[in-house]
Each structure stands twice: as structure tokens, then as C-alpha cells.
Amino acid sequence: MTAPSAAHGLLICVSGPSGVGKGTIIREVLRRRPGMAHSISVTTRSPRPGEQHGVDYYFSDRESFRRMLEAGEILEHDIYCDHFYGTPLKPLQQLVAAGTDVLLDITVPGSLAVMENYPDCVTLCLLPPSLTELERRLSKRGTETAEVMQKRLAKAREEVNMASCFQYVVVNDDLAETARQILAIIDAEHCRYARLAGIEETILAR
Ligand code: 5GP
């Protein structure tokens, strides 16, 4: 018999500096746990080579983004290196209500805004082993101009300094180990009594 569990899925905010590997880690977590989902954000930045509309992001112009904001269709949004990024509200609500755990790849202020709206969300800060390593990863990606790289690195320092705002911190040194730690956090969160309140009655009634 399967154990009773909370009906709603978890909302898991993953923040951390650009280049730390959030996207790669999220893909690895989803590969290991296919029942989970990734919240697809809306952005006004241009697609990078290989990025697909509706898979990596919903690519939008500023006017459409503004309209979505005004219509209340965005849970939280942020401006990052001159571009807008936002989390569409409805798909997220539907997934969580259906019991699916959802990973959000968002900025630090984005995670703070989600915490305000959903105090029972799980927040996780992904950090690089060092700033030198972060710089190496960013330049290896090779998708940013020197100017954008400098902006992203300056932002990275700020983001690393915000680690204390998060419930969990994972240092992304090794892909497999980082994915394992994140799944362990998610499993532990599902076992918190607050999420299983009333489980005793359910068990005693069987
Ligand atoms: P990138 O341009 O590298 O894909 O993303 C830049 C930053 O925007 C990353 O830190 C990423 O986590 C963040 N981001 C992506 N989508 C969203 C979103 O919907 N909301 C917020 N607040 N940040 C986002």
C-alpha cells in the first residue's frame, strides 16, 4: 500500500548566479524524477542558440510582457541585465494542484517574492565552488558578449551574498552529487509533518 501524502505538489525555487548551472541541474533532476516539472518562464531576452520557445522559455516582446503583468498572469517578475523575466501563474497553479512538484529557475528577488506569496515553498540557493570557477563556466558557455559577462559577474557577487535568505544551500561542484542533494531535500520536505498533518488519523482509520 502506498503511504498517504499531501495532495499538493511542492513549489521549489532554485536561485543562484548566472552560470552556476541551474538549468543543467534542473534538467538532471527532471531526468532522475520525470514526474516533476519545470516552470517555463516568460522572458524578453532573445533566445540563445538551441533554445526553443515553449521549452526553455516563452520568448516575448516587452509590450506583451507588460500586458501579461497588467492582467495578473505573472506570479513574480524581475529585471535581469536589462531584460524582463516572469513566472506564469496559471500553469504553476495547475501543476501544484495536480500534485506535481515544480522547480522554478529564478533570480534571488524572484525567490523572495514567491516566499511572500507561498510561504510553504522550498527555497534553494545554488552556489559555485568559487567565483573563479563561475567565471570559467560563464565564459565556457560563450553565449554572452564581454559586456554582458561583466554585468552577469557583478550580479553574481550580489547573488552569492544573498545565500542567507534561503532555506537550503547547495554547492554545485559535481552534477550528479548536486542533483542527489536536491532530490534528498525534496524528499525530506515531503516528510515534514506540517505537510502531512492529519496522517495519523488516516493511518488509524485503515
Ligand atoms: P538567463 O538569461 O541566463 O536564462 O536567466 C537570467 C536569470 O533570470 C537567471 O538567474 C534565471 O534564474 C532568472 N530567471 C529566469 N526566469 C525567471 C523568472 O521567471 N523570474 C525571475 N525572477 N527570474 C528568472
Side-chain angles (χ1 to χ4, degrees), residues 14-19 22 39-43 45 48 51 57 76-78 80 85-88 105-111 141 144 152 159:
V14 181
S15 288
S18 176
K22 285 170 292 185
S39 160
I40 304 169
S41 297
V42 187
T43 182
R45 84 149 160 78
R48 294 188 183 121
E51 281 185 335
Y57 277 108
E76 63 70 43
H77 76 286
D78 197 4
Y80 183 91
Y85 294 81
T87 304
D105 172 346
I106 58 178
T107 57
V108 174
S111 279
R141 187 158 81 187
E144 268 82 32
R152 285 185 176 239
E159 288 169 320

Side-chain angles (χ1 to χ4, degrees), residues 1-205:
M1 195 199 301
T2 54
S5 63
H8 281 73
L10 298 178
L11 227 155
I12 306 134
C13 298
V14 181
S15 288
S18 176
V20 75
K22 285 170 292 185
T24 309
I25 290 295
I26 286 176
R27 277 193 295 279
E28 178 62 14
V29 168
L30 292 176
R31 192 186 65 77
R32 292 175 180 218
R33 192 76 58 90
M36 287 178 63
H38 166 226
S39 160
I40 304 169
S41 297
V42 187
T43 182
T44 59
R45 84 149 160 78
S46 311
R48 294 188 183 121
E51 281 185 335
Q52 283 177 271
H53 181 77
V55 176
D56 301 285
Y57 277 108
Y58 295 109
F59 296 99
S60 154
D61 54 53
R62 283 182 181 238
E63 186 49 34
S64 314
F65 193 96
R66 197 183 54 78
R67 273 201 301 271
M68 288 181 78
L69 267 183
E70 282 173 3
E73 294 169 12
I74 302 279
L75 165 67
E76 63 70 43
H77 76 286
D78 197 4
I79 300 172
Y80 183 91
C81 293
D82 308 324
H83 294 292
F84 287 86
Y85 294 81
T87 304
L89 178 60
K90 204 158 183 187
L92 194 66
Q93 285 176 328
Q94 286 168 341
L95 284 165
V96 170
T100 305
D101 292 341
V102 187
L103 291 156
L104 281 75
D105 172 346
I106 58 178
T107 57
V108 174
S111 279
L112 301 181
V114 176
M115 274 183 234
E116 289 263 307
N117 289 298
Y118 290 88
D120 74 335
C121 70
V122 180
T123 61
L124 195 154
C125 184
L126 204 58
L127 294 181
S130 67
L131 206 61
T132 316
E133 172 60 15
L134 185 73
E135 204 166 339
R136 198 192 62 78
R137 287 181 197 174
L138 258 179
S139 50
K140 195 175 143 211
R141 187 158 81 187
T143 49
E144 268 82 32
T145 62
E147 190 198 339
V148 172
M149 264 257 311
Q150 283 318 311
K151 271 192 185 173
R152 285 185 176 239
L153 272 173
K155 196 94 183 153
R157 284 181 183 273
E158 284 173 30
E159 288 169 320
V160 171
N161 267 320
M162 298 289 283
S164 64
C165 298
F166 290 79
Q167 294 163 336
Y168 297 96
V169 173
V170 176
V171 175
N172 181 25
D173 206 359
D174 173 78
L175 173 69
E177 178 57 13
T178 302
R180 189 195 66 73
Q181 286 183 4
I182 292 177
L183 285 168
I185 290 167
I186 293 168
D187 289 341
E189 281 289 331
H190 274 292
C191 296
R192 281 177 49 177
Y193 182 79
R195 300 193 193 281
L196 297 168
I199 189 172
E200 319 85 304
E201 286 86 16
T202 313
I203 286 173
L204 292 173

